[in-house]
Amino acid sequence: MVVLITGASRGIGLELARQYAADGKQVIATCRQPAAAVKLMAIADRHPGRVQIEALDVTDHAAVDALSTRYRDQPIDVLVNNAGDIGPRDPGRSRLHEQHFGTINFAAWRDVLEINTLAPAKVAEAFVEQVAASTARRMVFMSSTTGSNVEGKYATFPYCSSKAALNKVVTMLAIALRPRGITCAAVCPGFVKTRLGGSSAVLDVEASVTGLREVIAGLTMERTGTFTRYNGEAIPW
């Protein structure tokens, strides 16, 4: 099995790469600065020939196309669109107001939409042939309950709207790619102890990713277009 993971230098993406490689899967791990991805390089060193690290800024569409061309003959069983951005929120949360109504930073909002919504759609479009040529044929999109109209009662306009839009993208991809036998699904990792999750997060990244991998392994065409929590619960949105 071959797994492509975007945003694999830290957090959930890094743990996905670690667990898949440890299980004997072939991993294509992308990140913006491979030379600085010390932990990712350590995983590759522990599993010689099993982890390929590639430089990729998912907002650079020409670079996405170029990487797809390099792997044009490589079937990809699982494509994990994990790269994302939470938007303005420094460690002291002194910039959080830039996501709140009345003081919104609209330039930052555009950036968040570019990373969280447009980029996953572009990556899916660029690698659709490789996924279609595989055995598993799964596209997975890292979303969040903040993008749910049912559960996401938050005031952060850029981040929440980007994930809500991503969920819609997934439902549209599910329809568009059903004839090709490709399953598309949005997943939520939970409130995880990562740089994005922050100090108040409650879930260890290892537990989150273990659950996510179970969800991903269970994806079938009957579940295409769905939104699922790391523990297998369906998320209303």
Side-chain angles (χ1 to χ4, degrees), residues 95-172:
R95 294 189 60 203
L96 193 57
H97 66 281
E98 295 180 37
Q99 297 209 49
H100 293 168
F101 183 75
T103 51
I104 295 172
N105 181 332
F106 285 92
W109 191 348
R110 292 187 187 95
D111 290 340
V112 172
L113 286 168
E114 183 72 41
I115 297 167
N116 292 353
T117 309
L118 276 66
K122 174 58 184 178
V123 172
E125 190 175 71
F127 284 91
V128 66
E129 297 299 332
Q130 292 89 327
V131 175
S134 74
T135 300
R137 297 193 298 275
R138 296 174 187 138
M139 290 188 180
V140 180
F141 300 78
M142 205 64 62
S143 188
S144 166
T145 53
T146 61
S148 166
N149 289 324
V150 178
E151 295 189 14
K153 309 298 184 182
Y154 303 93
T156 48
F157 277 62
Y159 185 69
C160 293
S161 65
S162 72
K163 292 302 186 180
L166 175 62
N167 290 344
K168 184 61 179 178
V169 166
V170 172
T171 63
M172 296 172 72

XYZ file of all heavy atoms in Angstrom, residues 95-172:
601
model
N -3.597 37.538 18.830
C -4.087 37.822 17.476
C -5.429 37.154 17.195
O -5.945 37.255 16.082
C -3.071 37.359 16.430
C -1.752 38.109 16.444
C -0.922 37.729 15.238
N -1.589 38.036 13.983
C -1.317 37.437 12.829
N -0.417 36.475 12.765
N -1.970 37.790 11.723
N -5.980 36.472 18.171
C -7.214 35.727 17.933
C -8.362 36.629 17.498
O -9.245 36.203 16.755
C -7.611 34.958 19.197
C -8.697 33.889 19.028
C -8.298 32.862 17.973
C -8.971 33.204 20.358
N -8.307 37.892 17.913
C -9.362 38.832 17.531
C -9.423 39.021 16.013
O -10.455 39.432 15.475
C -9.132 40.190 18.198
C -7.901 40.891 17.709
N -6.635 40.569 18.142
C -7.745 41.886 16.792
C -5.752 41.339 17.530
N -6.391 42.147 16.703
N -8.335 38.699 15.306
C -8.311 38.854 13.849
C -9.216 37.838 13.158
O -9.446 37.932 11.951
C -6.880 38.722 13.334
C -5.963 39.831 13.804
C -4.563 39.684 13.274
O -4.404 39.251 12.114
O -3.600 39.981 14.017
N -9.733 36.879 13.912
C -10.688 35.924 13.357
C -12.119 36.212 13.827
O -13.045 35.503 13.445
C -10.312 34.490 13.758
C -8.960 34.041 13.211
C -8.898 32.545 12.988
O -9.781 31.962 12.382
N -7.848 31.925 13.487
N -12.288 37.252 14.637
C -13.603 37.563 15.203
C -14.283 38.703 14.452
O -13.617 39.638 13.980
C -13.470 37.937 16.678
C -13.027 36.781 17.540
N -12.613 36.943 18.831
C -12.944 35.449 17.271
C -12.283 35.760 19.345
N -12.476 34.847 18.413
N -15.588 38.623 14.363
C -16.358 39.643 13.657
C -16.100 41.023 14.261
O -16.100 41.211 15.464
C -17.851 39.331 13.742
C -18.708 40.306 12.977
C -18.763 40.260 11.595
C -19.440 41.279 13.644
C -19.534 41.154 10.886
C -20.213 42.186 12.942
C -20.261 42.125 11.559
N -15.883 41.988 13.384
C -15.596 43.356 13.801
C -14.131 43.699 13.689
O -13.778 44.869 13.507
N -13.280 42.684 13.805
C -11.827 42.906 13.705
C -11.175 41.845 12.814
O -10.024 41.475 13.001
C -11.167 42.881 15.098
O -11.582 41.690 15.786
C -11.547 44.104 15.918
N -11.925 41.364 11.825
C -11.431 40.282 10.964
C -10.264 40.755 10.097
O -10.312 41.827 9.495
C -12.546 39.750 10.048
C -13.652 39.080 10.883
C -11.995 38.748 9.031
C -14.874 38.696 10.066
N -9.237 39.924 10.025
C -8.113 40.141 9.116
C -8.451 39.399 7.817
O -8.269 38.186 7.712
C -6.831 39.594 9.741
C -5.612 39.807 8.857
O -5.714 39.879 7.636
N -4.448 39.907 9.473
N -8.960 40.131 6.845
C -9.464 39.490 5.628
C -8.346 38.924 4.753
O -8.555 37.920 4.059
C -10.332 40.474 4.842
C -11.687 40.674 5.459
C -11.902 41.704 6.366
C -12.739 39.825 5.162
C -13.151 41.883 6.961
C -13.984 39.995 5.744
C -14.196 41.025 6.650
N -7.173 39.529 4.800
C -6.043 38.981 4.044
C -5.657 37.616 4.608
O -5.388 36.668 3.851
C -4.860 39.936 4.108
N -5.654 37.511 5.928
C -5.344 36.233 6.569
C -6.433 35.210 6.259
O -6.152 34.019 6.077
C -5.203 36.419 8.071
N -7.683 35.661 6.185
C -8.797 34.763 5.866
C -8.599 34.149 4.480
O -8.790 32.957 4.279
C -10.105 35.550 5.933
C -11.354 34.715 5.895
C -11.462 33.392 5.589
C -12.682 35.174 6.170
N -12.777 32.991 5.662
C -13.546 34.066 6.011
C -13.231 36.415 6.519
C -14.918 34.167 6.202
C -14.599 36.506 6.712
C -15.432 35.400 6.560
N -8.179 34.976 3.526
C -7.919 34.460 2.176
C -6.827 33.398 2.200
O -6.915 32.375 1.511
C -7.519 35.598 1.241
C -8.636 36.579 0.935
C -8.221 37.592 -0.129
N -9.238 38.605 -0.297
C -9.229 39.787 0.322
N -8.220 40.099 1.129
N -10.201 40.658 0.133
N -5.788 33.637 3.008
C -4.693 32.671 3.108
C -5.187 31.341 3.675
O -4.795 30.267 3.206
C -3.572 33.221 3.996
C -2.822 34.378 3.350
O -2.901 34.515 2.107
O -2.163 35.134 4.081
N -6.020 31.414 4.705
C -6.543 30.199 5.339
C -7.407 29.418 4.351
O -7.316 28.186 4.257
C -7.339 30.543 6.613
C -8.048 29.304 7.168
C -6.412 31.119 7.671
N -8.243 30.110 3.601
C -9.066 29.446 2.588
C -8.194 28.801 1.509
O -8.494 27.703 1.036
C -10.028 30.449 1.950
C -11.219 30.887 2.803
C -11.919 32.077 2.165
C -12.206 29.735 2.992
N -7.132 29.469 1.138
C -6.221 28.935 0.127
C -5.600 27.619 0.595
O -5.521 26.645 -0.167
C -5.108 29.952 -0.163
C -4.138 29.539 -1.255
C -4.741 29.591 -2.646
O -5.470 30.543 -2.945
O -4.485 28.646 -3.430
N -5.189 27.584 1.856
C -4.511 26.400 2.388
C -5.492 25.285 2.720
O -5.275 24.118 2.368
C -3.699 26.772 3.648
C -2.595 27.775 3.292
C -3.096 25.521 4.297
C -1.950 28.428 4.495
N -6.587 25.634 3.404
C -7.486 24.613 3.949
C -8.554 24.121 2.974
O -9.094 23.030 3.159
C -8.184 25.140 5.206
C -7.235 25.322 6.368
O -6.073 24.946 6.304
N -7.717 25.911 7.445
N -8.885 24.931 1.973
C -9.988 24.575 1.075
C -9.529 24.378 -0.365
O -9.753 23.319 -0.960
C -11.087 25.649 1.119
O -11.453 25.904 2.480
C -12.311 25.192 0.351
N -8.884 25.386 -0.928
C -8.476 25.287 -2.327
C -7.360 24.272 -2.541
O -7.403 23.491 -3.497
C -8.039 26.655 -2.856
C -9.140 27.592 -3.366
C -10.062 28.015 -2.226
C -8.528 28.833 -4.018
N -6.362 24.277 -1.663
C -5.219 23.378 -1.841
C -5.617 21.899 -1.834
O -5.157 21.139 -2.704
C -4.156 23.659 -0.780
N -6.457 21.447 -0.898
C -6.852 20.029 -0.948
C -7.567 19.660 -2.252
O -7.374 18.556 -2.774
C -7.787 19.882 0.260
C -7.359 20.955 1.194
C -6.958 22.096 0.322
N -8.385 20.576 -2.758
C -9.065 20.312 -4.028
C -8.050 20.211 -5.163
O -8.173 19.346 -6.046
C -10.079 21.416 -4.318
N -7.040 21.067 -5.137
C -6.005 21.032 -6.169
C -5.198 19.743 -6.095
O -4.918 19.096 -7.122
C -5.073 22.240 -6.030
C -3.871 22.220 -6.961
C -4.287 22.149 -8.435
C -3.072 22.031 -9.340
N -3.461 21.914 -10.768
N -4.813 19.339 -4.883
C -4.044 18.103 -4.719
C -4.866 16.916 -5.204
O -4.356 16.015 -5.884
C -3.612 17.924 -3.253
C -2.989 16.546 -3.041
C -2.620 19.013 -2.851
N -6.149 16.897 -4.865
C -7.022 15.811 -5.320
C -7.085 15.766 -6.842
O -7.015 14.688 -7.454
C -8.425 15.994 -4.742
N -7.224 16.926 -7.453
C -7.301 17.006 -8.911
C -5.997 16.534 -9.554
O -6.002 15.815 -10.561
C -7.611 18.447 -9.320
C -7.950 18.639 -10.781
C -8.367 20.064 -11.082
O -7.488 20.960 -11.042
O -9.558 20.295 -11.330
N -4.878 16.935 -8.953
C -3.578 16.616 -9.540
C -3.238 15.128 -9.436
O -2.572 14.570 -10.319
C -2.487 17.446 -8.866
N -3.691 14.466 -8.356
C -3.307 13.066 -8.123
C -4.440 12.078 -8.362
O -4.335 10.913 -7.974
C -2.772 12.914 -6.696
C -1.378 13.453 -6.516
C -1.173 14.770 -6.125
C -0.271 12.651 -6.762
C 0.113 15.275 -5.959
C 1.014 13.142 -6.613
C 1.214 14.458 -6.215
N -5.507 12.512 -9.013
C -6.654 11.624 -9.199
C -6.299 10.388 -10.030
O -6.795 9.282 -9.750
C -7.846 12.385 -9.828
C -7.541 12.840 -11.256
C -9.113 11.535 -9.784
N -5.445 10.522 -11.012
C -5.100 9.371 -11.845
C -4.321 8.330 -11.047
O -4.534 7.113 -11.214
C -4.301 9.811 -13.070
C -5.059 10.726 -14.015
C -6.311 10.067 -14.583
O -6.338 8.814 -14.698
O -7.269 10.790 -14.913
N -3.419 8.793 -10.178
C -2.640 7.864 -9.370
C -3.523 7.124 -8.372
O -3.329 5.938 -8.118
C -1.521 8.609 -8.621
C -0.433 9.171 -9.520
C -0.710 10.573 -10.009
O -1.866 10.962 -10.224
N 0.334 11.369 -10.174
N -4.496 7.833 -7.799
C -5.412 7.191 -6.855
C -6.311 6.196 -7.595
O -6.546 5.078 -7.125
C -6.254 8.240 -6.111
C -7.301 7.561 -5.213
C -5.361 9.140 -5.260
N -6.802 6.590 -8.760
C -7.670 5.718 -9.552
C -6.949 4.447 -9.981
O -7.584 3.400 -10.157
C -8.187 6.466 -10.775
N -5.636 4.513 -10.124
C -4.857 3.352 -10.571
C -4.511 2.395 -9.437
O -3.940 1.325 -9.674
C -3.557 3.824 -11.236
N -4.858 2.762 -8.201
C -4.498 1.949 -7.039
C -5.557 0.896 -6.735
O -6.602 0.825 -7.388
C -4.289 2.848 -5.816
O -5.539 3.312 -5.320
N -5.295 0.128 -5.692
C -6.246 -0.885 -5.243
C -7.277 -0.303 -4.279
O -8.478 -0.550 -4.412
C -5.506 -2.044 -4.552
O -4.589 -2.633 -5.483
C -6.486 -3.105 -4.075
N -6.824 0.503 -3.302
C -7.726 1.025 -2.270
C -8.570 2.201 -2.758
O -9.735 2.335 -2.389
C -6.924 1.434 -1.034
N -7.968 3.097 -3.530
C -8.661 4.245 -4.124
C -9.400 5.095 -3.071
O -10.614 5.235 -3.107
C -9.631 3.806 -5.224
C -8.958 3.155 -6.398
C -9.890 3.007 -7.592
N -11.027 2.146 -7.285
C -10.986 0.811 -7.377
N -9.884 0.201 -7.746
N -12.057 0.097 -7.098
N -8.627 5.699 -2.148
C -9.214 6.516 -1.098
C -8.567 7.906 -1.063
O -7.350 8.033 -1.128
C -9.043 5.859 0.278
C -9.768 4.532 0.417
C -9.455 3.865 1.739
N -10.030 2.515 1.751
C -9.416 1.442 2.233
N -8.204 1.553 2.752
N -10.017 0.265 2.213
N -9.403 8.932 -0.952
C -8.949 10.295 -0.696
C -9.525 10.736 0.643
O -10.741 10.662 0.852
C -9.414 11.247 -1.796
C -8.741 11.062 -3.132
S -9.211 12.411 -4.270
C -8.288 11.941 -5.730
N -8.641 11.196 1.522
C -9.044 11.583 2.872
C -8.674 13.040 3.105
O -7.588 13.488 2.721
C -8.339 10.686 3.922
C -8.753 11.078 5.331
C -8.658 9.218 3.649
N -9.574 13.774 3.746
C -9.391 15.209 3.945
C -9.515 15.535 5.429
O -10.543 15.260 6.045
C -10.433 15.987 3.140
C -10.359 15.719 1.658
C -10.898 14.553 1.123
C -9.713 16.604 0.811
C -10.817 14.279 -0.238
C -9.616 16.342 -0.548
C -10.170 15.175 -1.077
N -8.454 16.127 6.000
C -8.437 16.437 7.414
C -9.274 17.686 7.675
O -8.881 18.805 7.364
C -7.003 16.656 7.895
C -6.809 16.392 9.368
S -7.120 14.662 9.834
C -5.847 13.806 8.883
N -10.443 17.476 8.252
C -11.354 18.576 8.536
C -11.409 18.826 10.038
O -10.475 18.486 10.771
C -12.745 18.266 7.964
O -13.590 19.389 8.070
N -12.492 19.390 10.505
C -12.647 19.730 11.919
C -14.121 19.951 12.219
O -14.873 20.405 11.353
C -11.862 21.015 12.243
O -12.239 21.530 13.501
N -14.531 19.627 13.440
C -15.921 19.886 13.822
C -16.220 21.378 13.876
O -17.384 21.772 13.908
C -16.250 19.270 15.192
O -15.293 19.720 16.162
C -16.228 17.749 15.119
N -15.187 22.207 13.847
C -15.425 23.654 13.768
C -16.133 24.011 12.465
O -16.748 25.067 12.357
C -14.110 24.448 13.863
O -13.265 24.080 12.764
C -13.397 24.191 15.173
N -16.037 23.131 11.483
C -16.702 23.359 10.199
C -18.103 22.792 10.141
O -18.756 22.862 9.097
N -18.576 22.243 11.249
C -19.932 21.707 11.308
C -20.910 22.787 11.749
O -20.668 23.488 12.742
C -19.983 20.535 12.302
O -21.310 20.204 12.634
N -22.026 22.898 11.055
C -23.058 23.857 11.464
C -23.805 23.376 12.704
O -24.524 24.145 13.337
C -24.047 24.084 10.325
C -23.440 24.876 9.190
O -22.642 25.784 9.405
N -23.783 24.525 7.966
N -23.635 22.100 13.032
C -24.299 21.532 14.200
C -23.418 21.638 15.441
O -23.862 22.075 16.501
C -24.678 20.060 13.951
C -25.324 19.442 15.189
C -25.605 19.943 12.751
N -22.147 21.238 15.305
C -21.241 21.220 16.452
C -20.330 22.438 16.537
O -19.839 22.769 17.609
C -20.371 19.958 16.409
C -21.152 18.666 16.567
C -20.226 17.474 16.734
O -19.016 17.663 16.997
O -20.716 16.337 16.604
N -20.088 23.090 15.420
C -19.081 24.147 15.380
C -19.575 25.516 15.802
O -19.695 26.417 14.969
N -19.827 25.689 17.063
C -20.308 26.979 17.571
C -19.124 27.836 18.030
O -18.891 28.042 19.219
C -21.285 26.765 18.727
C -22.414 25.774 18.434
C -23.294 26.244 17.273
C -24.470 25.288 17.061
N -25.328 25.671 15.932
N -18.349 28.299 17.064
C -17.156 29.073 17.381
C -17.200 30.411 16.652
O -17.906 30.567 15.659
C -15.895 28.301 16.993
C -15.801 26.938 17.647
C -16.282 25.800 16.994
C -15.255 26.802 18.910
C -16.206 24.551 17.597
C -15.169 25.552 19.527
C -15.650 24.432 18.869
O -15.592 23.210 19.461
N -16.395 31.355 17.131
C -16.431 32.711 16.583
C -15.317 32.984 15.580
O -15.178 34.100 15.103
C -16.342 33.726 17.729
N -14.515 31.975 15.287
C -13.357 32.176 14.415
C -13.750 32.027 12.947
O -13.775 30.908 12.412
C -12.246 31.170 14.784
O -12.830 29.863 14.880
C -11.616 31.528 16.122
N -14.050 33.131 12.305
C -14.566 33.136 10.937
C -13.651 32.451 9.925
O -14.116 31.575 9.172
C -14.866 34.568 10.492
C -16.202 35.093 10.945
C -16.499 35.229 12.298
C -17.188 35.457 10.023
C -17.733 35.712 12.714
C -18.424 35.925 10.439
C -18.699 36.057 11.780
N -12.369 32.814 9.836
C -11.528 32.212 8.795
C -11.410 30.698 8.909
O -11.656 29.974 7.937
C -10.172 32.903 9.005
C -10.532 34.233 9.575
C -11.681 33.942 10.494
N -11.028 30.201 10.072
C -10.796 28.777 10.223
C -12.080 27.967 10.054
O -12.121 26.995 9.301
C -10.161 28.471 11.584
C -9.779 27.013 11.739
C -8.727 26.473 10.994
C -10.454 26.181 12.628
C -8.373 25.139 11.122
C -10.111 24.844 12.759
C -9.061 24.322 12.006
O -8.718 22.998 12.135
N -13.130 28.369 10.747
C -14.389 27.612 10.685
C -14.964 27.581 9.275
O -15.419 26.529 8.800
C -15.414 28.216 11.642
S -14.985 28.039 13.382
N -14.945 28.706 8.605
C -15.507 28.750 7.249
C -14.684 27.928 6.281
O -15.223 27.291 5.365
C -15.606 30.200 6.759
O -14.322 30.782 6.611
N -13.361 27.885 6.481
C -12.504 27.110 5.583
C -12.776 25.614 5.707
O -12.746 24.874 4.721
C -11.024 27.400 5.860
O -10.591 26.818 7.084
N -13.056 25.159 6.925
C -13.343 23.745 7.129
C -14.763 23.393 6.678
O -15.001 22.286 6.160
C -13.141 23.369 8.593
C -11.683 23.413 9.040
C -10.802 22.494 8.207
C -9.378 22.422 8.736
N -8.503 21.542 7.935
N -15.712 24.309 6.849
C -17.061 24.078 6.327
C -17.022 23.965 4.804
O -17.681 23.094 4.208
C -17.992 25.207 6.755
N -16.245 24.843 4.177
C -16.107 24.797 2.726
C -15.409 23.510 2.283
O -15.769 22.915 1.261
C -15.331 26.012 2.229
N -14.419 23.068 3.058
C -13.732 21.813 2.733
C -14.707 20.646 2.776
O -14.682 19.768 1.902
C -12.583 21.572 3.714
C -11.855 20.231 3.558
C -11.188 20.118 2.193
C -10.842 20.039 4.672
N -15.580 20.628 3.770
C -16.568 19.553 3.860
C -17.447 19.505 2.613
O -17.768 18.431 2.105
C -17.435 19.734 5.105
C -16.666 19.465 6.385
O -15.592 18.877 6.370
N -17.213 19.909 7.504
N -17.830 20.660 2.120
C -18.632 20.712 0.899
C -17.827 20.227 -0.298
O -18.354 19.509 -1.166
C -19.148 22.132 0.666
C -20.072 22.259 -0.544
C -21.319 21.384 -0.391
C -22.256 21.527 -1.572
N -23.442 20.654 -1.441
N -16.562 20.600 -0.349
C -15.691 20.118 -1.420
C -15.656 18.595 -1.422
O -15.725 17.952 -2.480
C -14.260 20.692 -1.255
C -13.259 19.938 -2.132
C -14.242 22.176 -1.613
N -15.573 18.007 -0.241
C -15.509 16.542 -0.145
C -16.790 15.906 -0.674
O -16.743 14.907 -1.401
C -15.245 16.104 1.314
C -15.370 14.589 1.453
C -13.855 16.554 1.757
N -17.952 16.471 -0.337
C -19.209 15.898 -0.837
C -19.294 16.015 -2.359
O -19.809 15.112 -3.031
C -20.431 16.576 -0.204
O -20.484 17.961 -0.567
C -20.394 16.463 1.315
N -18.763 17.100 -2.902
C -18.778 17.274 -4.359
C -17.799 16.318 -5.033
O -18.094 15.741 -6.092
C -18.457 18.729 -4.701
C -19.509 19.713 -4.202
S -19.002 21.442 -4.397
C -19.130 21.624 -6.169
